Structure formats: C-alpha cells, structure tokens
Amino acid sequence: MCTLCDPGKYCASSGLGSVSGTCQTGSYSTGGAVSAACVACPVGTQQNVTGQSSCAPCFPGMYCGSLGLSNPTGPCRAGSYSFGGATAPSCTSCSVGTFQPLTGQGSCLPCSPGMYCATTGLTVETGKCVVGSQSGGSASSPSCTPCASGYFQNLTGQRSCLPCDAGAFCSGTGLTAVSGLCSPGSYSSGGASSSACSPCPAGKHCATSGL
C-alpha cells in the first residue's frame, strides 16, 4: 500500500518509491505535500530551515508581514513591542504608563520615576509629574500620585514627596507647601497632618505655635 508523503517532505509525481525532497524554507508540511513549496508559512510566522513540519512564530521584537517568509520582514517600530508572532511593523503599541524609544523590542519600558506617559505608543515620556505629586514609575497622568496627608512637594518631576516640616502640618493631599504651624500646646518633629500635631507630654508645654 502507498503511504502519505512524510511531514516536511514532498512527493512530486506518481509512482515514487521514496520522497522527492524536503520542503523549502518559508514553508512546511504536515504530510502529503506534492511540491517543494509545500504550504507557505502564514503571516506572523517564519521558517528558515528546510524540511519542517511547522513554522515558527515571528521572533520577539520583529514582524512577519507576508506569507512564506524564511526570515522576519523587519523590526517593530519605536513605541511598540512584540512577544512574538507580530504581523505588522506597528506590532503592539506600548500601553499608557510605558514607552519605548528603540525599534525591535520585545517589551516596553515603564515611565521613569517622576515622569508620566499619558497615551499609547509613546517613544518618549510625555512630561514631568506636577508639584504636589510623585511617582515611583509607570505614571499615566501629570497628577501622578498626589502627596499623602502629612507630606508635600514643591518641585515637578519628583519620585517621592517630602514629610511636612518640623513644627508644621500638612492637612490635605496633593500639597505644594505646608498648611500651617502646629498649634500652641503641640509639637511635631515632621510629618504632621493636622494643626493639633502631637500634644505636649505631661511636664512640658509649648506656649507658641510652630514647635
């Protein structure tokens, strides 16, 4: 009895006692191929070795934009990435909070500390975090993360907020300066979030504010 031509091979005519040859690069066969072209690798895949039973996903950071490729078409554009199998140079756009300045990359970069990345597909960061905010990375809007109560930040583009000054309090979020001074009878060594600060302990007093 006759048998199906082997995977990765082709049998070009009738009456054969053996296979005619191997599938060419850019193609594959799971069996029964009748020409060296076998089956063209689908878009998003490639095959650079002859005689294969399958094609490989396009390499990370690259795209394979047509049928029958033995090598990727080219690199993903800046502002995009691919884990593999991309079909167009736009690949997958970097998500909000990330960016990628280079071509041919397998991932995007988190937005730097103190910066924000507001849209998809960025090749550079959008700008700096506003005063009264901070970011340790991956921020997606200029307000980044507002400073918590007890903290403030009077500079743009910062990765952290500052504890409220000694003798002062910071009573809200997103502050760019201290709210005021600790009330008489209280004190703070820093980071206070209300005017009452910390009451003076027994045996001590604070007759003036801001201590």
Side-chain angles (χ1 to χ4, degrees):
M1 64 181 287
C2 297
T3 58
L4 197 67
C5 205
D6 298 338
K9 310 293 184 181
Y10 70 96
C11 299
S13 62
S14 60
L16 293 176
S18 63
V19 300
S20 301
T22 58
C23 295
Q24 63 192 22
T25 58
S27 72
Y28 73 102
S29 173
T30 57
V34 297
S35 75
C38 297
V39 179
C41 290
V43 173
T45 70
Q46 52 87 33
Q47 183 51 262
N48 57 9
V49 180
T50 61
Q52 299 303 298
S53 60
S54 64
C55 296
C58 209
F59 300 137
M62 307 296 285
Y63 76 98
C64 296
S66 60
L67 296 169
L69 293 178
S70 56
N71 289 291
T73 308
C76 296
R77 293 173 182 162
S80 73
Y81 73 99
S82 173
F83 295 140
T87 61
S90 56
C91 297
T92 300
S93 294
C94 293
S95 60
V96 171
T98 70
F99 73 109
Q100 181 50 261
L102 303 176
T103 62
Q105 300 302 298
S107 63
C108 294
L109 304 172
C111 215
S112 303
M115 306 294 287
Y116 72 98
C117 297
T119 58
T120 60
L122 290 177
T123 60
V124 295
E125 293 155 321
T126 308
K128 295 180 178 181
C129 297
V130 298
V131 292
S133 73
Q134 56 86 23
S135 172
S138 300
S140 59
S141 71
S143 59
C144 297
T145 301
C147 294
S149 185
Y151 293 80
F152 75 103
Q153 181 52 262
N154 59 355
L155 300 176
T156 61
Q158 301 302 299
R159 67 185 305 156
S160 61
C161 295
L162 304 171
C164 210
D165 297 341
F169 69 97
C170 298
S171 64
T173 60
L175 294 178
T176 61
V178 300
S179 302
L181 300 177
C182 295
S183 302
S186 69
Y187 75 101
S188 172
S189 57
S193 59
S194 74
S195 60
C197 298
S198 298
C200 288
K204 297 184 179 181
H205 71 94
C206 301
T208 59
S209 60
L211 296 178

